């Protein structure tokens, strides 16, 4: 007789009719499904509205205060590709974040000013006057402007930032095909590694551990050799602090301190990994046993290895839609002009148009009035709610991305649960387990997936808001507010991790029993609490081993891309593109390789988690007798059940 506990719930009872994922099930969380569909329809409406109002050319070409594009071919400003800010200090205003534009008059110029000059000095000779005139608004009579009223502000920082962005863009245009090749190689390496892990799980885990240590060790050796080679060279002893911010990032690689920092970081990572392996040496046997069983499951459900491709495709659509909508929303602002004057005028601060201002009656009644640029935005209903549209775009991005991830988790969980609860493997495994599980998830549990994704999206948006507030308070002197904000950020980070863990296990229960999200989350939580020691020991150990696999894939692809893009591979030296910053494609390949490896290894992680929960339920439902036999293999049972001391010590 089992005892019921408010924190652990009642254990599962033996059910002779239970044979795995239940097929006769009904729709769950219907209200949340309807809400999700309505939210998607609203999302499409926001996208259509943004596309009708926005102009993405503002991202490609700098625009002046009149909305004209600098440097666009075929326009009057074709030979003026650069943007000059009258008062660049106004770009530090909070309005830049709200209106997505710098609230100061801007004009297109052929080149940026390279010398300081006042209006008084410019009026002294024709040459200086012509030089000064190119940085004035069109039609301005310089003789009517009070001397000393305007001064030049150098906009070198903006020019440099734009120059860096353009150089990075050029690097992508030169290396995009090589980046794609690197990502394909990362996909092949991940797939080969997964296939080898399926065939030789125990051997491959140890090979993976040793290879990660060797790869990081090589990184330490390379950093030391670079550090030693710079010793004694002129300027190599300059510190990063003294060097300051440089747009040519290769300069940092010419000083010893950079390589010393890299070496120290890698040494710390290496030491942490070795210490964890020593500390977890007994638990590794348990994790390896479960990974071996996961390899068998994946071997019988081979289509699961290719499911991440569907996840990648759906996430690509979500990210692309969000990015395009964000660009169109941020470029739908228009320059707004207001009437400015020094004397009393009834039209003061009214909206005006520069093209018709001189012919209007405003200049008659207010002779000193001018129609000047005020801000970027608009005064229509659409522009008033532009910030809300941006927020809605961000929120739906999180919701949709989490939904795609949840769909993959439920689909894989249903397929692997079908494998576990098949008494005679592989004869009792249903045909097309991944396809059937995907169909059940979409047909019956769209609402449950939307429910779990919504909770996670709300927490993630709150974290984004906290990060925004943290950036705004960086220059503030209120230490109490900073401390409180840091505590909130930490709490919501922990909350997000907990929700992800609970959602993942809730989706496994949804896939097996077909209940709603809250009931499934409660059942998963109680099951884990009844086996808290096993969960604490196994969950993070298997995650750690799979994380080492991701590191190995990323390390191999990263080292190969480094040698290729830096021209150190003699065979393909001529094929390497000429780049401004060779780290641009390298970092892109490394980041992409990690995402690809994470996608493939997530199949293993989901398989391990599903088999583990099924194993825990198997122990509660059955006792190993002829009437109530275990569904798990004998070898897995002997390691997971009989070695009780290993769970704790």
């Amino acid at each position: 007789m089992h005892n019921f506990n408010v924190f652990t719930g009642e254990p599962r009872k033996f059910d002779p009719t239970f044979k795995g994922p239940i097929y006769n099930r009904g729709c769950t969380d219907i209200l949340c499904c309807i809400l999700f569909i309505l939210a998607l329809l609203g999302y499409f409406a926001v996208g259509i509205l943004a596309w009708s109002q926005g102009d993405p050319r503002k991202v490609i070409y700098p625009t002046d205060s009149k909305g004209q594009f600098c440097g666009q071919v075929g326009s009057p400003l074709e030979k003026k590709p650069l943007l000059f800010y009258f008062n660049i200090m106004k770009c530090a205003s909070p309005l830049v974040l709200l209106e997505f534009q710098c609230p100061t008059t801007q004009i297109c110029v052929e080149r940026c000013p390279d010398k300081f000059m006042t209006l008084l000095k410019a009026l002294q000779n024709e040459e200086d006057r012509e030089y000064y005139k190119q940085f004035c608004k069109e039609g301005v009579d310089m003789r009517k402007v009070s001397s000393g009223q305007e001064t030049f502000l150098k906009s070198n920082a903006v020019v440099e930032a734009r120059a860096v962005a353009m150089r990075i863009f050029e690097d992508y245009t030169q290396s995009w095909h090589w980046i794609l090749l690197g990502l394909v190689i990362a996909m092949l390496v991940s797939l080969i590694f997964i296939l080898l892990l399926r065939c030789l799980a125990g051997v491959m885990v140890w090979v993976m551990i040793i290879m990660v240590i060797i790869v990081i060790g090589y990184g330490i050796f390379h950093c030391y050799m670079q550090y030693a080679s710079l010793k004694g060279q002129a300027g190599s002893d300059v510190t990063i602090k003294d060097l300051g911010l440089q747009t040519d990032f290769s300069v940092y690689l010419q000083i010893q301190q950079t390589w010393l920092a890299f070496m120290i970081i890698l040494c710390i990572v290496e030491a942490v990994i070795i210490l964890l392996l020593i500390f977890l040496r007994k638990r590794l046997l348990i994790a390896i046993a479960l990974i071996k069983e996961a390899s068998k499951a994946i071997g019988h459900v081979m289509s699961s290895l290719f499911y991440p491709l569907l996840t990648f495709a759906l996430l690509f659509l979500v990210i692309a839609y969000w990015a395009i909508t964000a660009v169109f929303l941020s470029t739908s602002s228009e320059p707004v002009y207001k009437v400015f004057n020094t004397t009393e005028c009834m039209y003061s601060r009214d909206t005006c148009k520069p093209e018709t201002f001189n012919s209007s009656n405003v200049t008659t009644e207010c002779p000193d009035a001018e129609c000047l640029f005020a801000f970027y935005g608009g005064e229509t209903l659409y522009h008033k709610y532009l910030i809300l549209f941006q927020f809605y775009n961000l929120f739906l991005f999180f919701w949709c991305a989490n939904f795609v991830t949840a769909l993959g988790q439920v689909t894989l969980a249903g397929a692997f649960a079908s494998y576990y609860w098949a008494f005679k493997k592989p004869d009792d495994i249903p045909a097309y387990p991944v396809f059937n599980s995907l169909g059940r998830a979409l047909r019956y549990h769209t609402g449950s997936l939307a429910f779990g994704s919504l909770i996670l999206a709300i927490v993630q948006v709150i974290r984004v808001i906290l990060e925004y507030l943290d950036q705004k308070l960086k220059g503030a002197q209120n230490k109490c507010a900073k401390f409180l904000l840091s505590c909130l950020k930490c709490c919501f980070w922990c909350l997000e991790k907990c929700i992800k863990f609970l959602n993942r296990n809730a989706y496994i229960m949804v896939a097996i029993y077909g209940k709603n999200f809250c009931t499934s989350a409660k059942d998963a939580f109680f099951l884990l609490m009844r086996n808290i020691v096993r969960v604490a020991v196994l969950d993070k150990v298997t995650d750690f081993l799979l994380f080492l696999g991701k590191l190995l894939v990323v390390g191999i692809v990263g080292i190969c891309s480094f040698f290729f893009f830096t021209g150190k591979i003699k065979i393909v030296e001529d094929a390497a593109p000429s780049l401004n910053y060779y780290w641009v494609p390298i970092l892109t390949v490394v980041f992409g390789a990690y995402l690809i490896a994470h996608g493939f290894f997530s199949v293993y992680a989901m398989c391990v988690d599903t088999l583990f929960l099924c194993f825990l339920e198997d122990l509660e439902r059955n006792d190993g007798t002829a009437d109530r036999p275990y569904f798990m293999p004998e070898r897995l049972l002997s390691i997971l059940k009989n070695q009780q001391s290993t769970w704790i010590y």
Side-chain angles (χ1 to χ4, degrees), residues 58 63-68 83-87 90-91 93 95-96 99-107 137 333-340 349-355 357 369-378:
K58 292 180 181 178
T63 55
D64 63 9
S65 297
K66 295 182 179 180
Q68 303 176 103
L83 191 65
F84 177 74
Y85 294 78
F86 271 31
N87 186 357
K90 289 187 177 181
C91 295
S93 167
L95 287 176
V96 177
E99 307 292 345
F100 304 101
Q101 294 288 349
C102 186
T104 184
T105 304
Q106 303 157 39
I107 61 172
K137 289 192 295 185
S333 299
E334 299 174 351
V336 177
Y337 293 84
K338 299 284 186 179
V339 176
F340 290 89
R349 302 303 183 268
D350 285 357
T351 304
C352 59
K353 293 183 178 181
E355 299 83 5
F357 183 73
E370 293 182 279
C371 185
L372 300 178
F373 169 80
F375 56 88
Y376 271 98

Side-chain angles (χ1 to χ4, degrees), residues 46 242 245 267 346 348 411 499:
V46 169
D242 294 336
L245 181 62
C267 285
M346 61 180 298
S348 181
T411 300
I499 290 175

